[in-house]
Amino acid sequence: MNISLIESNKDRILPEFYEWAETFDWELDEDGERTMEPYNEVYSLFQRLEFGNCNEDDFKNILFHIEQINYDEIRIQL
């Protein structure tokens, strides 16, 4: 995992991340009730990247989200 590659491109990828976070708004829990937990988790992960507070697990999660964002089309290229 190349953390410096993510860090050096974060100004370019953060807008994509925050747009991606919006897809987690209005998630439903197992009872069919609206939950903000997934949105809050993803949004806070991207904020940690923005402000330079990521740990190794955060970078692994960021790579996972990049793969998910790029599923249908390459939107983030490192």
Side-chain angles (χ1 to χ4, degrees):
M1 170 177 32
N2 194 337
I3 293 171
S4 63
L5 189 58
I6 293 171
E7 284 287 350
S8 65
N9 288 293
K10 72 180 177 182
D11 288 340
R12 185 172 52 89
I13 62 177
L14 277 168
E16 294 287 343
F17 279 167
Y18 284 119
E19 185 177 325
W20 174 250
E22 295 301 318
T23 66
F24 291 87
D25 195 10
W26 282 97
E27 287 284 315
L28 302 178
D29 64 14
E30 60 274 352
D31 296 323
E33 299 293 324
R34 181 180 183 200
T35 179
M36 293 299 293
E37 187 176 336
Y39 174 83
N40 291 338
E41 287 179 18
V42 170
Y43 193 86
S44 67
L45 172 66
F46 299 151
Q47 281 188 316
R48 288 194 299 278
L49 174 63
E50 181 175 5
F51 298 112
N53 298 321
C54 288
N55 61 35
E56 189 173 332
D57 285 337
D58 288 338
F59 283 106
K60 288 177 185 175
N61 285 330
I62 287 166
L63 288 174
F64 168 78
H65 285 286
I66 289 173
E67 289 176 8
Q68 295 300 303
I69 290 168
N70 288 340
Y71 179 73
D72 286 333
E73 69 178 281
I74 303 298
R75 295 177 61 183
I76 299 174
Q77 192 165 15
L78 297 176

